Amino acid sequence: SNEPLTCSCGFAAIDPPVVCGTRPPTCSRPCAAELACGHTCAAQCHFGEHPLCCELVSRLCVGGHREMKHQRCHIGAISCGR
């Protein structure tokens, strides 16, 4: 191809000519895309699906009895055991 081949964020590039089948360059910059939960993706620059959000959050238990602290964001409803 006569177009540069870039990583997902566009920072790293392989200048043309690029042979068909060449893998995109690796990039160590953070992805930083906004996830559906509102947090930013903590993974390195990547193509495809984002990994699960592992930000630590506080949320109420399923029954609303108590605040559950330090829970990973991607884990949904959680029981306090009551």
Side-chain angles (χ1 to χ4, degrees), residues 15-37:
D15 292 326
V18 178
V19 176
C20 182
T22 301
R23 295 179 61 105
T26 57
C27 176
S28 60
R29 296 183 80 174
C31 171
E34 185 173 333
L35 303 173
C37 62

Side-chain angles (χ1 to χ4, degrees), residues 12-57:
I14 299 173
D15 292 326
V18 178
V19 176
C20 182
T22 301
R23 295 179 61 105
T26 57
C27 176
S28 60
R29 296 183 80 174
C31 171
E34 185 173 333
L35 303 173
C37 62
H39 293 119
T40 56
C41 180
Q44 287 183 341
C45 174
H46 63 92
F47 289 100
E49 296 292 318
H50 296 287
L52 297 173
C53 181
C54 290
E55 289 284 330
L56 296 179
V57 299

